[in-house]
Amino acid sequence: MKKMSLGFALCGLLVSPVSANTSIYGYIEGYVEKVESSPTRTGGTSTSEGAVSRSENAHEFQTPNVKFMVKNTSGDYSSYLNIDASESNVKMTNAWFEGKIAGNYLKARIGKMYRKFGLYNERLDAVPTYIGIEPPELFDGDHLLLTRTTNFMLHGEKDFDSGTLFYSLATGNDERAGSEIPLGGDVRYTMFGDNYEWTIGSSFYLSHKAKPSQDVGSGSPDGGVLNWMNEDKYEVFGVFTEYKRKMLTLQFAYFQADHDAIRSGSKLQDLNTAALNDEQIQRLCNGDMSTCADSAVNYKVKTWYIRAGYSFKTSKGEITPYVQWDSYENPETVLAKSNGGDNEAGLADDGKFNKQTVGMVYRPTDKVAIKLDASNHSQDVDGESLNYSEVRGSFSYVWQLL
């Protein structure tokens, strides 16, 4: 499918020669992070939990984003190519071709694309433009609610006197187990007034029968199905809003995923038990991980966030202080990322954590964004409230050839 997607995009780019209708651009981001001594659990067995202790974390320098993008429009057709060179292997993040069926009212897009879902799914590759350094927790790669990308989308928009209605339906390979047709949708309305812009919307997703994208021990899943499942069927629904007035930006979102899954006893027996707590051992395998059997489970993943920022124009550039509050809860997850778990929710007694963040964005020019922020993580572990902090810095530069 990757080859097909790339082919669609390249064909689209070749519809017309490089001209004013073709944009070639990208950005590079440097990142540094220091996490305070953070809680972890070690020494567990198949029948009993290990002890919680604090582990030191070295500061990290990363280059999380090196992006190369090409966008072409020719009449009723357009295409987009997004190449990620952040890691040792260059990879194609997006490649799609789009055609208008009924003007802007209905367009068809095929290839590999970010689905329209909430405020951030399509924005995450535009780090220099939004407030904050890290994405809201529902888009964190350690605990995604669903796959970020899909393969076919019908979407459009309609203008009204007071604003614009946007709508979409999408399907693709996703995590489907066989011939199922997973379906995602998004509807949002943006109102325009004197000095303000207000968006209200809702997104949903129906997985139908789905399978894990990663095996136990292979890392975080690409979507909502945890590694130790035989199969899963889940539904995601959420609401979101964004209000902009002059230099003020306010955002809020709430999402919930309802899962109806079957755990794999053999996969759970292969799970590294060193980081499990008693509640997880009892819940997953009735108190003994070495004798796990297949079992049915119904559970809900809940998450919400609030973000606010206010920009000030100065002679040296634009300064935007911001605050964020993120909450995430998944009672089924475990601690180790390598098993498909989460190092935050997986440590907590109830699978829940909160993160409070304060920070600032400085833009000396419209092509440069320098971000600094600090977060506090809070969660209940062994009946006590534990906290740890982290500080981050991000420098990003946007370039454009055409």
Side-chain angles (χ1 to χ4, degrees):
M1 187 63 197
K2 286 186 177 180
K3 291 182 179 179
M4 290 182 62
S5 299
L6 188 57
F8 279 125
L10 292 176
C11 287
L13 291 173
L14 294 173
V15 166
S16 65
V18 174
S19 66
N21 294 326
T22 300
S23 299
I24 302 176
Y25 58 99
Y27 73 92
I28 183 171
E29 180 193 18
Y31 176 92
V32 61
E33 177 186 70
K34 179 64 174 76
V35 181
E36 180 190 10
S37 296
S38 54
T40 188
R41 189 184 297 275
T42 57
T45 71
S46 61
T47 57
S48 63
E49 67 182 12
V52 173
S53 60
R54 294 267 181 171
S55 61
E56 292 290 334
N57 299 291
H59 62 277
E60 297 181 15
F61 290 96
Q62 302 176 28
T63 308
N65 287 292
V66 179
K67 300 289 186 178
F68 178 88
M69 308 175 201
V70 183
K71 178 71 180 289
N72 176 270
T73 302
S74 179
D76 289 339
Y77 303 98
S78 61
S79 59
Y80 178 69
L81 180 65
N82 181 355
I83 299 296
D84 184 352
S86 308
E87 301 176 359
S88 56
N89 295 321
V90 176
K91 63 181 180 180
M92 180 265 293
T93 304
N94 301 119
W96 51 256
F97 173 72
E98 180 176 281
K100 293 182 178 179
I101 299 174
N104 288 329
Y105 297 128
L106 185 62
K107 294 175 277 189
R109 181 180 297 180
I110 189 169
K112 181 182 180 181
M113 70 211 70
Y114 291 132
R115 66 178 76 249
K116 296 182 184 296
F117 190 85
L119 293 173
Y120 277 88
N121 197 51
E122 292 184 296
R123 294 185 189 179
L124 292 184
D125 273 353
V127 172
T129 65
Y130 58 78
I131 59 175
I133 297 177
E134 293 194 329
E137 293 301 325
L138 72 151
F139 300 112
D140 190 300
D142 297 340
H143 40 243
L144 294 170
L145 295 186
L146 69 164
T147 60
R148 286 195 60 207
T149 60
T150 191
N151 304 105
F152 179 73
M153 179 164 60
L154 295 173
H155 68 109
E157 60 189 75
K158 178 174 175 56
D159 292 327
F160 295 91
D161 291 340
S162 59
T164 303
L165 176 69
F166 301 89
Y167 41 87
S168 71
L169 285 174
T171 188
N173 296 328
D174 301 2
E175 300 166 289
R176 63 184 183 183
S179 60
E180 293 79 13
I181 301 177
L183 183 65
D186 180 277
V187 178
R188 65 189 71 193
Y189 187 75
T190 300
M191 293 170 280
F192 302 98
D194 294 337
N195 300 317
Y196 78 87
E197 178 182 314
W198 189 8
T199 297
I200 301 174
S202 177
S203 300
F204 74 89
Y205 182 75
L206 307 175
S207 75
H208 303 295
K209 185 180 179 181
K211 63 181 181 181
S213 56
Q214 300 287 347
D215 291 327
V216 168
S218 298
S220 300
D222 299 326
V225 184
L226 293 170
N227 301 24
W228 53 89
M229 299 299 180
N230 272 331
E231 62 183 65
D232 196 351
K233 180 180 180 181
Y234 65 94
E235 301 175 355
V236 184
F237 179 79
V239 293
F240 55 89
T241 186
E242 179 178 56
Y243 180 78
K244 296 181 179 180
R245 185 176 183 87
K246 295 183 179 179
M247 308 303 282
L248 174 68
T249 299
L250 298 173
Q251 299 171 341
F252 169 78
Y254 174 86
F255 282 86
Q256 178 172 307
D258 291 19
H259 288 258
D260 183 6
I262 298 177
R263 303 186 186 107
S264 166
S266 59
K267 291 181 180 181
L268 286 169
Q269 289 180 31
D270 290 338
L271 212 66
N272 185 339
T273 61
L276 297 182
N277 61 34
D278 284 339
E279 291 86 351
Q280 292 163 346
I281 295 171
Q282 184 64 41
R283 185 185 74 246
L284 294 171
C285 296
N286 295 318
D288 189 346
M289 297 296 294
S290 66
T291 60
C292 287
D294 291 358
S295 59
V297 58
N298 295 286
Y299 67 97
K300 300 179 186 297
V301 181
K302 302 176 184 178
T303 183
W304 58 268
Y305 69 84
I306 297 174
R307 295 191 168 199
Y310 192 90
S311 299
F312 299 89
K313 295 287 188 179
T314 73
S315 60
K316 301 296 184 180
E318 182 182 271
I319 298 174
T320 306
Y322 60 86
V323 295
Q324 303 167 184
W325 187 296
D326 288 84
S327 178
Y328 177 87
E329 179 180 0
N330 183 346
E332 177 68 11
T333 195
V334 299
L335 179 57
K337 292 182 183 181
S338 61
N339 287 330
D342 170 33
N343 286 355
E344 296 162 309
L347 178 68
D349 296 340
D350 53 3
K352 181 178 181 179
F353 74 91
N354 293 289
K355 184 171 74 173
Q356 307 87 31
T357 303
V358 295
M360 182 189 71
V361 182
Y362 171 53
R363 294 186 174 91
T365 74
D366 58 359
K367 296 184 179 299
V368 175
I370 301 170
K371 303 180 183 182
L372 298 171
D373 70 22
S375 298
N376 175 67
H377 294 253
S378 57
Q379 54 204 142
D380 292 334
V381 180
D382 290 347
E384 297 182 4
S385 179
L386 293 183
N387 295 267
Y388 68 95
S389 62
E390 59 184 318
V391 293
R392 293 172 293 267
S394 168
F395 175 89
S396 53
Y397 175 74
V398 179
W399 56 267
Q400 184 166 354
L401 298 180
L402 293 173

